[in-house]
Amino acid sequence: MIFICIATLLCSSAKAQDISSFGNQKPFVLSGSIQLRGVYYTATGIPPDRSPFSYIFSGNPTINIYGFSAPLNFTVSEQERSFRQPFNQFGISPHYKWITIHLGYRSIIFSPYTLAGYTMFGAGIELTPGKFRFGFMYGKLASATTLDTTTQSLVPFSFSRTAYAVKIGVGTPKTFFDISFLKAKDDPTSVNYKGYDSAYTITPAANTVFGISTRINFFKKMFIEANAAGSIYTRDINSPITLDSFNNTLFKAARNIAIVNGTSEFNTAFDGAIGFKAKTFTVKLQYNRIDPDFQSMGAYFFNNDVESYSFAPSFRLFKNKLRFSGSIGLQHDNVKGQKEATSQKVIGTGNLSIEFSQHLGLDANYTNFSNNQTPKTIRFADSLKIAQTTQNFSVSPRFMISNTKTSNTVILSANLMQLNDYNNYFAQNAVSRNINFRQFFINYTYGLLPAQFSVYLNASTTNMSASGITDNNNGFTLGANKSFFKSAFSINASAGVFFDTRNDGNSNILNLSANMQYSFLKKHGINLLFYYTNNKPKNITSVLPGFTELRGELGYMYTF
């Protein structure tokens, strides 16, 4: 048992540890907290979603031995009893000077398109002597699972998948040139996949990816950055279709480093940018292109079949009192012309922050995405055309005055979202797919600083309309906070009333909450929570049921 605990500790997930600092580390440190909570719950008008009385005993202790830490979590209740490590996929990366070793479960990035943070269970090394950059990882990307013969569920079905990745480069984190390589393969003997119905057939695959990543600074303020990759993905390594049937020079040349046959595909990915960076502003021209079906077993997901061009400026003026960042560009799919239609988008974002004075400021955000789909290879029905524009705009002015005794803060916010559908087919048939969303709120907070007391009032209105459906919600919340005994004891409470109006009926909603916290003897704390909700329909035609919910919690926490 002692051996297991020590082994688990030494393999627990941690940041790369500097072995040279062992002499300065404490031999054993225990930290964290434990908490015991009792919960009361009752509901009328709706089915309860929990038992009337429950308890939860939980903790998150962390054991540290000479800088190696093992965080643990445990939870015990009448509904669930568990003891777990959040890093059951444990790993460690000790380092000494320019040498780093990776053991266990590690998420390593060699490039965005080869080994790109996919969790691997294995071993590896990274060396960075001077400007030389070398990395190597070998291990398992996935474990074999079988089809659930009871439910015939396909979700957990997978082969055992192993891979190795290599990175060789030169430079520094700011200026570098790296070449990376990934080769992964499923083990066809790990699952008896041929025994299942063809509808559930998943064939063992293989993948070889070669990538280049670089960033170059020149003329002090200019920079170029780029990532490129080519991927050979073979969907069935046991396919009887050989390359003898194809006249593909690339695949025939790649047979020495990759598994290729009639189910193999070659796709590319590229992104690049050139920019100018000064002290107060930056401009960047960006380009991105990813082929359809581009895949890498060393990455979780790619938004493929996309090509985009964008211009991204940002600047800071008047001693950082005015800040702006944004981008504008064009994006389309169907990069290889294989689809029946191409979707073209105008993509734009903008973020503005202004400090007019010490007391007054404003934040504003805007996004615009226009989507226009046009036919390519053949004509198709008008009902399949897409012409849409989605706009989001938010603005939040703020005003604050404070001194040694009082503080006054006012925050206003307006959030607007609009989706306009310009499809002629739906317009002619009186079917609107437009969506409009508007939300406004104002919050005022008044504080008495010496008394550690504050009170706030929030008023809001929300409106949503789409295809003949409307939903309006208006209300306000009043709350207060008070601390005692140098913040050892604090209490806050709030009451909110909201009026909801929909097509199917109206209702009034009352929300009450209170929270009290008391800390004593430095490491001990008591917490009391109270929540109450009452939903009362105003007419009998409403489909929303009337209900009340009440929940209370009493908790004790010990921190060590």
Side-chain angles (χ1 to χ4, degrees), residues 297-327:
M297 291 184 176
Y300 285 101
F301 173 78
F302 290 106
N303 183 22
N304 51 26
D305 192 14
V306 63
E307 185 175 32
S308 64
Y309 311 81
S310 61
F311 171 69
S314 64
F315 56 82
R316 296 174 287 111
L317 301 175
F318 309 118
K319 298 180 179 180
N320 292 334
K321 292 183 178 181
L322 174 63
R323 300 180 297 275
F324 173 82
S325 64
S327 67

Side-chain angles (χ1 to χ4, degrees), residues 272-522:
I274 181 170
F276 178 85
K277 185 175 183 180
K279 184 177 180 179
T280 59
F281 71 93
T282 301
V283 292
K284 183 188 293 187
L285 294 174
Q286 302 174 122
Y287 174 75
N288 177 60
R289 187 186 190 278
I290 302 181
D291 284 349
D293 298 321
F294 178 87
Q295 297 183 67
S296 171
M297 291 184 176
Y300 285 101
F301 173 78
F302 290 106
N303 183 22
N304 51 26
D305 192 14
V306 63
E307 185 175 32
S308 64
Y309 311 81
S310 61
F311 171 69
S314 64
F315 56 82
R316 296 174 287 111
L317 301 175
F318 309 118
K319 298 180 179 180
N320 292 334
K321 292 183 178 181
L322 174 63
R323 300 180 297 275
F324 173 82
S325 64
S327 67
I328 183 70
L330 300 174
Q331 177 180 302
H332 70 90
D333 64 352
N334 198 19
V335 297
K336 287 190 174 182
Q338 299 170 329
K339 295 180 179 179
E340 296 179 355
T342 298
S343 295
Q344 299 177 342
K345 299 179 180 180
V346 176
I347 52 177
T349 63
N351 302 285
L352 176 67
S353 180
I354 306 176
E355 303 294 336
F356 295 103
S357 67
Q358 183 181 358
H359 308 294
L360 180 63
L362 180 143
D363 297 311
N365 299 277
Y366 176 77
T367 61
N368 175 80
F369 297 96
S370 297
N371 186 16
N372 183 24
Q373 189 182 80
T374 56
K376 295 296 288 186
T377 56
I378 63 173
R379 300 293 299 177
F380 57 90
D382 287 345
S383 61
L384 299 180
K385 291 182 180 179
I386 298 176
Q388 296 176 335
T389 297
T390 302
Q391 299 182 80
N392 294 273
F393 175 73
S394 67
V395 57
S396 299
R398 58 190 187 276
F399 180 77
M400 183 178 68
I401 296 178
S402 63
N403 51 46
T404 58
K405 295 183 178 181
T406 63
S407 67
N408 294 268
T409 304
V410 179
I411 299 176
L412 293 87
S413 179
N415 300 277
L416 308 175
M417 189 279 286
Q418 186 175 35
L419 185 149
N420 292 324
D421 193 325
Y422 302 105
N423 190 330
N424 294 329
Y425 174 84
F426 285 92
Q428 294 170 1
N429 289 273
V431 178
S432 174
R433 297 192 296 183
N434 295 344
I435 299 175
N436 291 279
F437 175 85
R438 297 183 295 272
Q439 182 185 58
F440 306 91
F441 77 80
I442 179 172
N443 181 279
Y444 170 69
T445 303
Y446 173 76
L448 291 172
L449 303 182
Q452 295 183 297
F453 171 78
S454 64
V455 59
Y456 62 90
L457 176 64
N458 178 284
S460 65
T461 177
T462 303
N463 172 266
M464 189 277 290
S465 61
S467 301
I469 301 174
T470 60
D471 188 351
N472 297 284
N473 187 284
N474 305 292
F476 64 88
T477 301
L478 177 66
N481 303 277
K482 171 65 177 173
S483 298
F484 306 87
F485 312 125
K486 297 181 180 180
S487 300
F489 177 71
S490 63
I491 180 172
N492 62 75
S494 66
V497 178
F498 298 90
F499 307 96
D500 191 77
T501 303
R502 305 186 184 185
N503 297 50
D504 51 20
N506 305 334
S507 63
N508 298 335
I509 304 170
L510 173 65
N511 292 326
L512 302 175
S513 67
N515 181 16
M516 291 180 287
Q517 296 180 338
Y518 178 56
S519 301
F520 59 99
L521 299 178
K522 294 183 179 181

